[in-house]
Amino acid sequence: MSKVYLVGAGPGAADLITVRGANLLARAQIVFHDAFVEPEMLALCPQAILVPVGKRCGQLSSSQRFINKRLVDAAQRYETVVRLKGGDPMLFGRADEELRALEAAGVPTEVVPGITAALAGAAAIKQSLTLRGVARSVAFITQAQASNIVTDSVGQIAPTSSLPNAHATADTLVYYMGRKDAASIAQELIAQGRSIATPVHLLESVSTPRERIFTTTLAELADHQSESWFNSNSPLLIMIGEALRSRQESPVQIQAADAVLNCSATEIDNGLQDLSVFANSRRSA
């Protein structure tokens, strides 16, 4: 029986796809791939028919309904069909729409996760998205809007300017597809109370040979000072938060967090670590 696999290509580099994903590419008869999938990734499936179905802002793209139909049609002709999506299929990848269409047609499916760009971005700048004493939460946000009209509780069209950052309350924020709104993102975050000195990292084509990184602050981003750096042909990631401040700039925060833990250490009973027998004969390393 034929099967459609939604495979995460990862952030860009061909060797960052999962082993399972690479194995599926090697035996697929047809591969429907996103626009930003690297040529080196597609070289992993030389035997397959390659069908580009990516979406690019401001450029002619396949409609999602047409992509759904092509996947269903392919499942009737080929045993192994791969829908290769950038990053992870379940994050900003319209996987739900494709899965619904395939399930409605009775086509077996499987989702193979991939490394999302935010995690590759954190690795590229060598900064953790979470940080003890500084950041306990992370939000992945997209500026892309659905094509349908958004209305409020009384049926009025909601102003789109209030939508993108409505839930931007996490300590560390990672914006996907936010190039054209970069300055307005920063302006709104400052209006919400974020410090103008909050670190910002802009990453283009993360994990690929074309990777570029620009480090700035929320104030400079709000003042359009980064726009001349942007390359409109590359996918952009905007990473914002105190956890992203360089280690050379923030030793005091780490020391403060350690001090809080050390103050309470004397109140902990460490006697249990010296016991060799545990209740119910259960042992723990």
Side-chain angles (χ1 to χ4, degrees):
M1 180 178 293
S2 62
K3 193 171 187 179
V4 176
Y5 297 85
L6 275 62
V7 176
D15 57 355
L16 287 181
I17 192 174
T18 63
V19 173
R20 182 183 297 181
N23 288 338
L24 285 169
L25 285 178
R27 63 184 180 89
Q29 283 86 45
I30 186 168
V31 175
F32 296 87
H33 62 88
D34 279 353
F36 286 119
V37 171
E38 294 290 305
E40 293 80 5
M41 183 76 68
L42 298 178
L44 299 177
C45 50
Q47 80 293 340
I49 299 170
L50 301 179
V51 183
V53 292
K55 297 179 180 298
R56 297 286 299 275
C57 182
Q59 298 186 25
L60 185 64
S61 304
S62 301
S63 71
Q64 188 59 52
R65 184 174 299 178
F66 184 59
I67 294 173
N68 296 348
K69 183 180 185 305
R70 296 194 73 177
L71 289 173
V72 172
D73 291 344
Q76 298 172 355
R77 299 180 57 192
Y78 304 99
E79 182 179 352
T80 303
V81 179
V82 169
R83 172 67 173 100
L84 188 61
K85 293 175 170 289
D88 182 272
M90 310 306 276
L91 187 67
F92 307 136
R94 304 198 183 201
D96 185 73
E97 299 172 52
E98 294 173 1
L99 288 170
R100 285 176 183 270
L102 291 164
E103 290 166 358
V107 178
T109 61
E110 181 178 324
V111 178
V112 179
I115 298 173
T116 188
L119 305 183
I125 62 176
K126 297 182 177 65
Q127 296 286 155
S128 176
L129 298 178
T130 59
L131 185 61
R132 182 161 47 91
V134 177
R136 300 178 61 184
S137 58
V138 181
F140 297 162
I141 308 162
T142 179
Q143 299 300 101
Q145 298 285 334
S147 57
N148 57 306
I149 301 297
V150 180
T151 59
D152 60 20
S153 58
V154 295
Q156 298 296 317
I157 296 177
T160 55
S161 60
S162 66
L163 295 175
N165 298 319
H167 303 290
T169 57
D171 298 319
T172 304
L173 308 174
V174 183
Y175 289 86
Y176 290 66
M177 298 169 279
R179 179 183 290 105
K180 68 183 180 63
D181 298 308
S184 61
I185 288 171
Q187 291 164 6
E188 185 167 342
L189 291 174
I190 292 171
Q192 292 174 358
R194 296 261 178 172
S195 168
I196 61 174
T198 301
V200 175
H201 295 277
L202 307 175
L203 296 91
E204 287 186 345
S205 300
V206 64
S207 84
T208 75
R210 300 178 304 283
E211 178 183 281
R212 297 197 307 152
I213 301 173
F214 186 85
T215 300
T216 183
T217 65
L218 210 54
E220 293 174 346
L221 188 64
D223 195 35
H224 302 270
Q225 294 187 28
S226 307
E227 292 183 0
S228 61
W229 178 84
F230 291 146
N231 177 3
S232 60
N233 294 318
S234 300
L236 176 73
L237 202 64
I238 305 174
M239 308 176 72
I240 301 171
E242 280 299 328
L244 306 178
R245 190 175 297 281
S246 71
R247 281 176 285 279
Q248 290 72 26
E249 294 181 35
S250 58
V252 175
Q253 292 173 319
I254 307 302
Q255 292 170 2
D258 286 337
V260 172
L261 291 176
N262 291 334
C263 287
S264 58
T266 57
E267 302 173 8
I268 299 175
D269 183 2
N270 292 319
L272 185 61
Q273 68 182 1
D274 299 323
L275 295 180
S276 58
V277 179
F278 290 83
N280 301 323
S281 299
R282 297 181 65 182
R283 297 177 180 271
S284 176

